[in-house]
Amino acid sequence: MNVDKARIVELPEAAVYQQQFTVRYDFPVHFTEGVFDRDNPLFERVLCRFEPAKRHRFAVFIDANVAASWPALAHEIAAYAKGRGTALELVAEPEIVPAGEQSKNDAALVTRLQQRLADLAIDRHSYVVGIGGGAVLDLVGYVAATTHRGVRHVRVPTTVLAQNDAGIGVKNGVNAFGRKNFLGCFAPPHAVLNDSRFLRTLHPRDRIAGIAEAVKVALIRDRVFFEWLEASATALRAFEPAATARMIRRCAELHLRQIGQGGDAFESGSARPLDYGHWVAHRLEALTAHELRHGEAVAIGVALDARYSVQVGMLPAGAEDRVYAMLKQIGFHLWHPALESRAASGRLHVLDGVAEFREHLGGELSITLLADLGRGEDVHDIDEDGVARAIAWLRRKEIGQ
Ligand SMILES: NC(=O)c1ccc[n+]([C@@H]2O[C@H](COP(=O)([O-])OP(=O)(O)OC[C@H]3O[C@@H](n4cnc5c(N)ncnc54)[C@H](O)[C@@H]3O)[C@@H](O)[C@H]2O)c1
Ligand SMILES: [Zn+2]
């Protein structure tokens, strides 16, 4: 492009103020059991973190499946607040929110919850507490962040995936115009309270699905963790409490480290270092109309991208078989017919995931592959035939043809 030099005008210095400031964020991610037990001081302490002498108002939104699995929960929260009435004021009965990915697909629900906060006179010093899976937390976080330009929000993640990944980061958002997480914001929570007790009522599918994020982050960041996961696959599949707790803790730690120390917490650059395996996963979720859980789709993406990494000579051959074998041992089903669905032109639908990935961040395409077990490396180009070959490999492994 020819730049019209005549139009580049030197601005007189006095006409420019270079605005600059830094905002510091810090929030605790607690691990506890029985967060609303009367004798557990954690929730009160967390809400009183900034102004210990004040009485703090809070509103609560609960994932419908959590409310159904824990019928006494709303009552326990009310009793907890009552028992600590000098410090806490629950502004209304906890509100039940439709659960799962559908809660992120419903624009009217965002408005309804914002209206609820208006009705309850929630102000910027009050708290909005979200209790639920990653989907409900994304929704409630978005509602909190857009009300009064940001009300303090506390997340209580109740799935494996929300405790080790979705609930501990800085992103909030909902789906719109057929795109996942199209509307959203970076708004760190006031605090995160991971309560292991909630996990007891999880559907086995959701217990397993969340382990995919641990495998993912181990593969790109921590070989020792990968080998531990490999050795613990049977215990994890059986949801043994000690192995599960360790898996969640280490996975959360690695995510927190990347967000806090990776240098790009609000993702202004082109890289998405925590999204290994996700370009396929996001597309698969959409192609299956969310029949696949996020974690289930991630497990497929993790296996495929391991194979693709071998094909392009980045990862030593045989490593992809290890990744595949461990995911199987944990209990993942690693095939969905949507992997092979094609447009009229014959092009695989999943390949649209590459373009979506690029479009989401802007800038150069950046996809993390594996340079070794425990070491991710970004590439800027994906070979479509290579993806088709990786899919054929997975098909042979999974259904033998
Ligand atoms: N904000 C982020 O940084 C981030 C990161 C990763 C994923 N995510 C999002 O997180 C979502 C996936 O989260 P998820 O895997 O937790 O799925 P989910 O929220 O859909 O929860 C899975 C199912 O478990 C139910 N459930 C939740 N807790 C339960 C409990 N204790 N007992 C019984 N049932 C319970 C839910 O109602 C739902 O039906 C996706 O929307 C994904 O995009 C967000
Ligand atoms: Zn994910």
Side-chain angles (χ1 to χ4, degrees), residues 106-163:
D106 181 1
L109 185 56
V110 173
T111 312
R112 181 160 77 72
L113 300 191
Q114 288 163 332
Q115 172 78 59
R116 181 81 177 136
L117 294 185
D119 294 346
L120 295 173
I122 287 292
D123 61 34
R124 285 173 47 79
H125 288 187
S126 314
Y127 291 91
V128 172
V129 180
I131 305 177
V136 164
L137 295 183
D138 268 0
L139 164 75
V140 173
Y142 181 61
V143 165
T146 49
T147 301
H148 289 304
R149 299 196 182 98
V151 173
R152 297 173 183 176
H153 78 281
V154 172
R155 300 200 194 118
V156 181
T158 59
T159 63
V160 171
L161 195 132
Q163 294 195 356

Side-chain angles (χ1 to χ4, degrees), residues 165 213 278 294 298:
D165 179 354
E213 300 287 3
H278 277 56
H294 178 70
V298 168

